[in-house]
Amino acid sequence: MAKVTLSKIEKIYPGDGKNPDFLAVKEIDLEIRDREFMVLVGPSGCAKSTTLRMIAGLEEITSGEISIGDRVVNDVAPKDRNIAMVFQNYALYPHMTLYDNMAFGLKLQKKPKAEIKKRVEEAAKILGLEGILQRKPKALSGGQRQRVALGRAIVRQPEVFLFDEPLSNLDAKMRVQMRTEISKLHARLDATMIYVTHDQTEAMTMGDRITVMKFGEIMQVAEPLELYNNPVNMFVAGFIGSPPMNFLHGKIEAEGEGLAFIDDGTDAKIVLNKRLAERAKDYKGKKIVLGIRPEDITDKKIFKGDIPANTTLSATVEVSETMGAETFLYLNVGKDPIIARVDPGERYKMNSKIDIVLDLEKAHVFDPESEIALV
């Protein structure tokens, strides 16, 4: 296996006379460690797939340097980079059996028949395909086809596996199952894997580390819980987590020896704890954004324990979604909508009024202009 290093990578698509050049990837630096499962995540158009394709050699880089192991591969053909790629659409040959699909790359490399047979059978056993190797792709389910695509990558025994949104064509139940299968595969092969997805749930459950991208730039690289608990900016805070973090806009005012957050829409006062007050100390009299996740908001009437003073807001229930183990409340609090994750035992009527309690121990504060987290 091998680490993958991206140094000052830039990708520019040239204009056509009517349109200017488009800077798709903006001088990114990233190191994927040996045997790491790295996930590239972000919304559509953030250049995560372009970055993956540059690693694979399917897209030329405009500037910078890509290394796999100790070898710079800028000018190395895709077939010579010792990588294997699994695509979104499986890319199977419909006229070939599963065995031949998995063996095709090895045949091109002129591997001995006995070695090809051994590798294909080993991969089929890992993926539960042993009994169906003589079928053709049209006879398979989507999940089985994706297993064949994985098998074709496994038999090549590459230094690096690349996955380009491989589960996006599967139904919800099959996506969960295949997430587990790929995670097991990583543990079993102890391989370097780079995985692209727009689904932050996939990213959180699969990655050793996650790279969050926006408009061709890297916002943050960290382990899943670090991203969730300590986002560096509002984009990461709002993208990681489902439902996303809530943002309340307001200003900071003095409150005795401490500070209070005054909500823009309601003028409600929330007295900050010592941690948040320390972070917001330079914003007295200025605008600020208070961020808090849905699970850190509780209906006052079912709150357990003592409620800290000045940590409640009045809200109107707009929608209540019962999800079985939890209920999501979509609330109107002044100018900022809020989502709360609450106990499913309570029932809420549309337009009913409730008081909510904010757990400030889990809250964050952000600069409203730069959107950077205050630490």
Side-chain angles (χ1 to χ4, degrees):
M1 298 305 137
K3 71 176 181 179
V4 178
T5 305
L6 281 60
S7 301
K8 303 296 181 187
I9 295 299
E10 189 171 78
K11 176 64 178 180
I12 299 174
Y13 291 102
D16 57 7
K18 295 181 180 179
N19 298 299
D21 293 352
F22 175 62
L23 179 57
V25 179
K26 305 174 184 178
E27 286 199 350
I28 63 173
D29 292 304
L30 181 64
E31 182 175 297
I32 296 97
R33 300 164 185 158
D34 184 26
R35 296 178 169 83
E36 180 174 40
F37 197 121
M38 172 65 82
V39 179
L40 308 184
V41 69
S44 297
C46 73
K48 54 190 183 294
S49 289
T50 301
T51 301
L52 192 78
R53 290 172 63 83
M54 287 192 290
I55 295 171
L58 302 177
E59 290 270 5
E60 289 187 7
I61 67 173
T62 304
S63 62
E65 189 173 273
I66 296 176
S67 298
I68 298 176
D70 297 324
R71 180 174 63 144
V72 176
V73 296
N74 288 25
D75 299 318
V76 176
K79 65 183 180 65
D80 298 322
R81 294 192 180 196
N82 200 11
I83 54 96
M85 192 160 180
V86 180
F87 295 91
Q88 178 179 342
N89 62 356
Y90 319 133
L92 302 179
Y93 296 106
H95 62 288
M96 292 184 183
T97 65
L98 307 192
Y99 182 96
D100 289 335
N101 264 284
M102 293 168 67
F104 186 71
L106 299 180
K107 290 177 180 177
L108 289 180
Q109 295 175 7
K110 302 189 184 305
K111 299 290 184 183
K113 286 186 177 180
E115 183 179 350
I116 293 174
K117 184 173 185 294
K118 180 183 177 183
R119 288 198 196 182
V120 171
E121 289 178 349
E122 285 177 350
K125 185 176 181 180
I126 290 172
L127 297 167
L129 297 171
E130 306 104 302
I132 59 173
L133 287 177
Q134 296 310 310
R135 293 185 189 177
K136 292 184 177 179
K138 67 180 179 180
L140 305 182
S141 68
Q144 288 173 320
R145 291 178 191 179
Q146 195 55 274
R147 283 191 176 91
V148 177
L150 287 170
R152 185 174 54 194
I154 291 170
V155 298
R156 294 187 59 188
Q157 297 177 352
E159 289 187 305
V160 180
F161 289 84
L162 306 177
F163 297 87
D164 190 7
E165 303 204 38
L167 309 185
S168 59
N169 288 337
L170 303 179
D171 61 49
K173 183 178 179 180
M174 184 56 68
R175 280 202 303 272
V176 173
Q177 183 178 337
M178 288 303 299
R179 279 205 316 253
T180 304
E181 293 295 330
I182 293 173
S183 294
K184 287 180 181 177
L185 186 63
H186 176 249
R188 182 163 186 168
L189 299 178
D190 199 20
T192 304
M193 294 185 173
I194 308 173
Y195 187 102
V196 160
T197 181
H198 64 273
D199 185 337
Q200 55 91 19
T201 301
E202 281 184 21
M204 290 290 288
T205 55
M206 298 175 73
D208 294 328
R209 287 191 301 156
I210 300 171
T211 299
V212 182
M213 297 186 68
K214 176 187 178 185
F215 298 145
E217 295 184 89
I218 292 175
M219 297 288 102
Q220 187 172 0
V221 183
E223 295 179 3
L225 286 180
E226 176 66 17
L227 275 182
Y228 192 80
N229 293 323
N230 297 296
V232 298
N233 57 34
M234 290 175 63
F235 177 81
V236 175
F239 191 82
I240 298 296
S242 182
M245 183 180 287
N246 299 291
F247 298 114
L248 294 171
H249 293 76
K251 62 181 178 180
I252 295 296
E253 290 187 356
E255 177 67 21
E257 296 182 357
L259 296 175
F261 171 85
I262 310 299
D263 180 64
D264 274 352
T266 63
D267 288 331
K269 179 190 295 184
I270 299 172
V271 177
L272 301 184
N273 57 22
K274 289 183 178 180
R275 178 181 65 87
L276 293 180
E278 176 62 25
R279 295 182 177 188
K281 64 184 180 182
D282 295 330
Y283 283 74
K284 192 180 298 184
K286 298 179 182 179
K287 295 290 186 180
I288 204 167
V289 177
L290 179 68
I292 188 163
R293 294 205 178 274
E295 61 269 27
D296 300 321
I297 301 173
T298 309
D299 184 348
K300 184 178 180 179
K301 68 182 179 183
I302 60 175
F303 186 87
K304 296 177 182 178
D306 297 327
I307 299 175
N310 296 108
T311 59
T312 62
L313 289 173
S314 296
T316 302
V317 177
E318 294 190 329
V319 176
S320 174
E321 290 184 346
T322 301
M323 307 296 289
E326 58 199 3
T327 293
F328 296 144
L329 296 181
Y330 293 79
L331 306 171
N332 186 332
V333 181
K335 62 181 285 189
D336 293 307
I338 280 183
I339 305 173
R341 179 186 281 140
V342 299
D343 191 296
E346 294 289 324
R347 294 197 174 274
Y348 297 87
K349 293 182 179 179
M350 189 178 297
N351 296 322
S352 61
K353 305 289 186 182
I354 67 170
D355 289 327
I356 55 175
V357 182
L358 310 183
D359 183 358
L360 297 184
E361 294 301 321
K362 306 285 184 62
H364 303 263
V365 280
F366 301 89
D367 182 287
E369 293 185 5
S370 69
E371 299 191 350
I372 298 295
L374 307 181
V375 295

